[in-house]
Amino acid sequence: MTRERDVPLEGWRPAELWRRRPETSLAIAVGAMAVAGLVLRLVELAERPLHHDESIDAWYSWQFLEGTFEGYDPVYHGPLRFYLTAAFFWVFGESHTTARMVAVLAGVGLIVLPWFLRRSLGPAVTLGASAVLAFSPIALYMTRLGREDSLTAFITLAMMVVVVRLLDRPRLLLPALFGFLLAAGFAVKETTFIVVFIFGGFFLALLAEQAAQRNGEGRANRPGRFARWSWMLPAGLVPMGIAFGVSAYYEAEVFVTLGVYGVLMAMVILMQASPAQIWDLPVVRAARGVPWWGWALAAVVFLFFFALWFTVFFTNSAGFLDGFTEGITYWRGEQDTNRGSEPWHYYLYTIGLYEYLVCILAVIGTVHVFRNPTFVGQFMVWTAVASWFSYSWASERFPWLALHIVVPMAFLAGYGVQVLWRARRRAWMVPVWVVLAGLLASTLFVSWRSNYVNQRDPRELLTQVHTTHDYVDTVHRIEALNEYSKSVGEAPVTVAVDTAISVPNLWYFRDYEGRQWTDRASAQHTSADFVLALPESGIAGAAPDLADHQTTRMPLRDWWAPQFESYHDGWFSGWGNWLMDREVWNEGTLGSTDFDLSVSPRALALEARMGGS
């Protein structure tokens, strides 16, 4: 086999390079997109105040760095990204930028990962997937957000890459790599339980498809009778839809839903093949290509790293069992809560309104996969549809979870790009290219607007529970006055914070020496130069020492709670105005969570002196 670098080049023109050295050219293209993606994720990264959840992640990371981290708490997800963020704090210092660097680098990793599937995907699909993951509005926004979802999406896609490579060419260490990634997934976020469910469902459906293909070949004596279409999707996704539908209608327990699905899938498989026949199916033979001790090594790697991270590097032995039980127990209990109060079709409009071009290309790509089924194509269709089912069925629906649906859709969009590129010389493609160019330009505009212009504007559907600039300005005001007070020999400026708004104050006042906590019970004893409290706590009115403070109401977090049943007023004019200039159609739901800022006469006098100097 001739290596690319041994093929002589007649020149360095791009067309010549692509023709003679296609893999090198593809590497350059994907690398260029990764560099562009990194730059886009770093631009103005520190400008947006820390989101409610970002401040919690940053706080726990800082606690780990300080040696006060108490271990895994399922409310705040797995501990691994705290360790990674703490490493950035240790090397580069604590800032908004370093608090978000794990998410940024995971986002860049998402752009690069399609390269490792290039021989299964082809160059057009690889480039299309990388481009979506680099520049699409949701992918760009969520990988600039210092939550755990960017890292979870990276780990999930990395596991998919390992599975494809393993089944293509079984290698001894690939199961161990999968075990490491699986442990990392659990140690970052409990949605890894959903990932395991989706992967498991895929392989059950794949077994059903391969068993049906083998039966068809045996009956008809015609190999490839089922080669032109896929049994996998109807055989697996229909039972999944039935299970989720029954569960939602009867409000069934989550494990009942999974049990119903497992029984349905087992019935489908056993209708097609006996256990002995299943053992000899291609996917099982591929797994058997790795020696048994390779799978044993994978189990050891998984358990070691799972224990390492959940026990806080073997200092909290109870964390090991908690990692297996607490996460699923907590989130099963939250299933009835519907935190966020979003409807089941939340992702239909959220993804559709931002990723309309990706959706169109993904539909084209899905049709192509049905007509020309490949293992990777089926895997991506399955993961996209099953993710949409799973995250829509799960009661907690938020914009950052849309990233887990967009990632497999990026590959389907790549297949759509491949279909259009192959048809590029046909006459009817001219108007198609014009329309696609307009959609691409508008998508890039939406990505720019949502990530840099409106990056914390509550009218963006991607924005939720973001801290306001007013609050951050207040923090800077207090810090500046404290520095001035100490410079002129005065006592430090003290701050009292209502425990009801501990977030984001835990992070922003993490090492402030004059900070104290207060609440309704201890309000009458509160005394400080600055008091930050919820209005309903009544702290400012209950404390005698605060009677002469100057109190101002300020927004802590602002929000828009769009009533989607009213969007059709004027035949979709509500959506139209929102799409054009983000004009909301129900202004009554624009609001904020406010806090009262009470400032002492001493602090006001100090500020006057500081301003005069």
Side-chain angles (χ1 to χ4, degrees):
M1 179 176 170
T2 304
R3 295 174 298 181
E4 275 196 358
R5 64 175 178 265
D6 295 331
V7 177
L9 284 174
E10 297 177 1
W12 289 98
R13 297 186 307 277
E16 170 72 6
L17 184 65
W18 185 270
R19 185 172 65 87
R20 297 276 186 167
R21 298 182 181 176
E23 195 155 288
T24 302
S25 302
L26 184 60
I28 293 172
V30 172
M33 281 192 285
V35 172
L38 176 61
V39 172
L40 288 173
R41 283 155 178 77
L42 291 176
V43 170
E44 296 186 4
L45 186 63
E47 294 302 310
R48 188 177 68 244
L50 283 187
H51 171 286
H52 177 277
D53 295 358
E54 286 183 295
S55 67
I56 294 174
D57 284 16
W59 159 250
Y60 276 111
S61 302
W62 181 79
Q63 277 195 313
F64 178 74
L65 189 64
E66 295 292 304
T68 58
F69 178 62
E70 296 180 357
Y72 171 60
D73 185 339
V75 178
Y76 305 114
H77 307 298
L80 178 56
R81 90 266 192 201
F82 302 148
Y83 309 150
L84 296 175
T85 303
F88 278 98
F89 287 169
W90 182 64
V91 176
F92 301 106
E94 304 144 25
S95 67
H96 286 191
T97 298
T98 51
R100 292 169 170 146
M101 280 307 297
V102 170
V104 166
L105 295 179
V108 175
L110 282 172
I111 302 169
V112 174
L113 281 176
W115 159 259
F116 296 96
L117 296 175
R118 64 194 180 279
R119 292 172 187 169
S120 300
L121 297 173
V125 183
T126 302
L127 287 174
S130 292
V132 170
L133 296 172
F135 308 119
S136 84
I138 290 178
L140 182 55
Y141 193 96
M142 297 310 165
T143 55
R144 287 166 48 86
L145 191 68
R147 284 180 46 89
E148 68 282 345
D149 292 280
S150 179
L151 183 57
T152 304
F154 170 78
I155 292 170
T156 301
L157 183 54
M159 286 195 290
M160 296 178 74
V161 171
V162 171
V163 167
V164 173
R165 299 288 289 267
L166 174 64
L167 295 181
D168 181 44
R169 295 182 63 189
R171 300 289 184 88
L172 179 63
L173 295 182
L174 286 176
L177 178 57
F178 184 85
F180 171 80
L181 291 170
L182 185 62
F186 280 115
V188 174
K189 194 169 188 178
E190 294 78 7
T191 51
T192 304
F193 286 106
I194 294 178
V195 173
V196 170
F197 165 71
I198 291 172
F199 284 16
F202 173 78
F203 283 102
L204 288 175
L206 182 60
L207 288 172
E209 180 190 67
Q210 293 183 348
Q213 288 175 335
R214 176 160 296 185
N215 287 341
E217 292 169 359
R219 287 195 300 268
N221 195 27
R222 288 186 303 168
R225 179 182 175 186
F226 293 92
R228 295 298 299 170
W229 67 293
S230 172
W231 264 70
M232 178 183 302
L233 297 171
L237 292 177
V238 170
M240 183 182 292
I242 293 172
F244 283 151
V246 170
S247 171
Y249 184 80
Y250 290 104
E251 298 182 353
E253 171 68 36
V254 58
F255 290 117
V256 173
T257 301
L258 300 181
V260 169
Y261 178 69
V263 170
L264 290 173
M265 287 304 303
M267 291 173 59
V268 170
I269 295 172
L270 292 175
M271 286 170 60
Q272 302 293 333
S274 67
Q277 292 172 321
I278 292 172
W279 184 250
D280 196 44
L281 291 176
V283 65
V284 179
R285 287 205 310 269
R288 287 161 49 197
V290 176
W292 69 267
W293 56 273
W295 293 104
L297 176 63
V300 171
V301 168
F302 170 80
L303 291 173
F304 173 79
F305 283 101
F306 190 95
L308 179 74
W309 293 323
F310 276 99
T311 62
V312 195
F313 299 92
F314 303 116
T315 62
N316 178 15
S317 59
F320 179 74
L321 185 60
D322 289 345
F324 284 108
T325 61
E326 290 297 314
I328 192 64
T329 301
Y330 175 80
W331 293 108
R332 181 184 63 181
E334 289 294 298
Q335 179 66 15
D336 296 330
T337 304
N338 189 13
R339 195 183 319 192
S341 304
E342 300 293 356
W344 67 268
H345 53 279
Y346 172 74
Y347 299 110
L348 287 174
Y349 54 73
T350 300
I351 294 176
L353 287 169
Y354 285 91
E355 305 288 358
Y356 40 84
L357 176 57
V358 171
C359 290
I360 293 170
L361 293 174
V363 169
I364 298 172
T366 300
V367 173
H368 170 78
V369 171
F370 266 103
R371 296 182 63 184
N372 305 274
T374 62
F375 175 75
V376 179
Q378 291 173 311
F379 201 4
M380 293 303 170
V381 172
W382 176 278
T383 305
V385 178
S387 296
W388 215 309
F389 279 178
S390 301
Y391 288 103
S392 297
W393 168 74
S395 69
E396 184 171 309
R397 305 176 189 100
F398 285 107
W400 40 83
L401 293 175
L403 177 64
H404 306 294
I405 303 172
V406 169
V407 169
M409 286 180 63
F411 288 84
L412 300 180
Y415 281 106
V417 170
Q418 182 186 71
V419 171
L420 296 174
W421 181 251
R422 288 176 176 174
R424 65 189 182 278
R425 299 187 188 281
R426 299 184 181 181
W428 54 265
M429 280 298 297
V430 174
V432 172
W433 287 125
V434 172
V435 172
L436 287 175
L439 291 175
L440 176 60
S442 66
T443 298
L444 293 176
F445 170 76
V446 168
S447 191
W448 168 76
R449 178 170 62 179
S450 58
N451 278 280
Y452 305 107
V453 179
N454 296 342
Q455 57 179 311
R456 63 151 309 279
D457 191 320
R459 295 173 299 174
E460 292 285 349
L461 297 180
L462 303 183
T463 301
Q464 284 200 12
V465 293
H466 270 293
T467 306
T468 64
H469 285 288
D470 298 279
Y471 167 80
V472 176
D473 291 343
T474 298
V475 174
H476 293 161
R477 173 188 177 186
I478 294 170
E479 291 173 340
L481 187 61
N482 186 51
E483 290 299 317
Y484 173 76
S485 179
K486 291 190 292 185
S487 70
V488 297
E490 298 262 354
V493 172
T494 55
V495 180
V497 181
D498 186 353
T499 56
I501 51 172
S502 59
V503 178
N505 287 292
L506 279 167
W507 165 254
Y508 279 101
F509 290 106
R510 60 192 176 278
D511 52 3
Y512 191 85
E513 58 184 353
R515 184 205 64 196
Q516 57 182 283
W517 295 102
T518 185
D519 55 23
R520 187 187 298 271
S522 61
Q524 59 181 337
H525 305 296
T526 300
S527 178
D529 293 309
F530 288 86
V531 180
L532 287 71
L534 283 181
E536 52 267 31
S537 295
I539 292 174
D545 289 348
L546 306 182
D548 54 355
H549 281 46
Q550 183 183 98
T551 300
T552 306
R553 186 152 297 174
M554 305 181 72
L556 176 63
R557 290 181 290 271
D558 48 19
W559 35 260
W560 175 39
Q563 297 171 352
F564 289 103
E565 66 275 9
S566 66
Y567 70 89
H568 51 71
D569 292 346
W571 288 101
F572 296 97
S573 62
W575 280 124
N577 293 335
W578 181 84
L579 283 169
M580 292 299 295
D581 58 11
R582 294 303 189 255
E583 178 184 335
V584 302
W585 59 81
N586 45 3
E587 294 188 4
T589 60
L590 276 170
S592 62
T593 299
D594 299 331
F595 71 99
D596 283 341
L597 174 66
S598 300
V599 187
S600 70
R602 171 182 177 261
L604 293 172
L606 271 173
E607 282 189 315
R609 289 167 54 191
M610 183 174 67
S613 64

